[in-house]
Amino acid sequence: MDAFTPDIIFEPLPQHFKAPTLEMYDGTSDPDDHLESFRALMILYGYSDVLTCRTFQATFRGAAHHWFSNPPPRSISSWEQFANLFLARFINNRRCYKSVVSLMSIKQKQGESLRSYIDRYKKEELEVRDLNPMVSMHAAINGLSGSALKCLVAKTPLKTKLEFLKKAQKYIATEEASAGDHQEREVERPNGPPKKKRKGGGNHHNNNSNKDLKKPPALAQAYSQYMPLNSTRM
């Protein structure tokens, strides 16, 4: 408490004051996330900036608690100053956000469903900080690959990103219904005409063997030499 000026230290607490529940910050994660979450809760409960100053330190632990344990006396006179000091100390842990340019490089792949493309795009845009909704919408449309949705948007420009997402959901439903009908037809289609059986049945090799058994025995080989009838017997 020595870090605050007297006007902050002696600010009376509201009756039945209860600090909002928030995950403790240990100095290893994104400081912006923690600060914005805390600020939103304090605004929700209608607490003043002075009370916000005194409450914020109670959300520290680990390295963050150690940082605030020995500050210069009476060095913090406002909530804005406290927030800036906090961000400056843990700025190295800030998440690296992507730029809008990264969204322009997302394209619908050949054969990729509209749902898959939209889901992939939504995941990527979460990495862009302070993204303008209209810029996001135009980047998403730009990445469409010759779909009916892209043709519709070209003819009838959309005014909001929400309008675009609603249109996309309708086209996704139509696309998936069409794919389901196609699969059903594939299942119902017969595998093809039955194969014709050979006459007589049985194995072709066995038939040849039977034919060989039925062949008459070969004639005995003729003698190549004959003894003359009038020759003298030995």
Side-chain angles (χ1 to χ4, degrees), residues 22-161:
L22 185 70
E23 184 178 355
M24 303 289 282
Y25 183 78
D26 62 0
T28 60
S29 57
D30 191 336
D32 288 300
D33 288 345
H34 182 73
L35 181 62
E36 291 171 7
S37 297
F38 175 78
R39 195 199 309 267
L41 286 174
M42 297 302 286
I43 292 174
L44 176 65
Y45 288 107
Y47 295 145
S48 66
D49 285 354
V50 171
L51 190 57
T52 301
C53 266
R54 292 171 59 180
T55 308
F56 189 46
Q57 61 171 327
T59 67
F60 296 163
R61 70 174 182 179
H65 176 73
H66 179 73
W67 163 71
F68 194 73
S69 60
N70 292 306
R74 300 183 178 183
S75 58
I76 299 175
S77 59
S78 68
W79 164 240
E80 182 180 2
Q81 181 189 8
F82 191 8
N84 288 335
L85 287 171
F86 170 75
L87 291 177
R89 173 61 182 84
F90 299 103
I91 192 171
N92 290 337
N93 296 323
R94 267 182 170 171
R95 186 189 313 167
C96 294
Y97 291 95
K98 297 182 180 180
S99 67
V100 178
V101 178
S102 66
L103 296 181
M104 302 302 293
S105 64
I106 303 175
K107 305 294 182 183
Q108 186 177 10
K109 301 175 183 178
Q110 184 176 3
E112 183 180 19
S113 68
L114 183 58
R115 178 183 292 279
S116 174
Y117 167 70
I118 294 295
D119 288 346
R120 189 161 54 86
Y121 182 86
K122 286 180 179 179
K123 184 178 180 180
E124 187 72 17
E125 73 174 357
L126 292 176
E127 300 297 323
V128 180
R129 195 176 181 86
D130 300 326
L131 178 62
N132 183 294
M134 293 303 293
V135 173
S136 173
M137 182 188 76
H138 288 298
I141 294 172
N142 180 69
L144 291 170
S145 177
S147 66
L149 176 59
K150 188 170 186 177
C151 295
L152 174 67
V153 172
K155 295 178 181 178
T156 310
L158 304 177
K159 297 180 180 180
T160 65
K161 183 181 178 182

Side-chain angles (χ1 to χ4, degrees), residues 198-214:
R198 296 179 179 272
K199 291 183 179 181
N203 186 282
H204 181 66
H205 176 73
N206 292 338
N207 290 342
N208 290 338
S209 300
N210 293 336
K211 290 180 181 179
D212 292 339
L213 293 175
K214 294 179 181 179

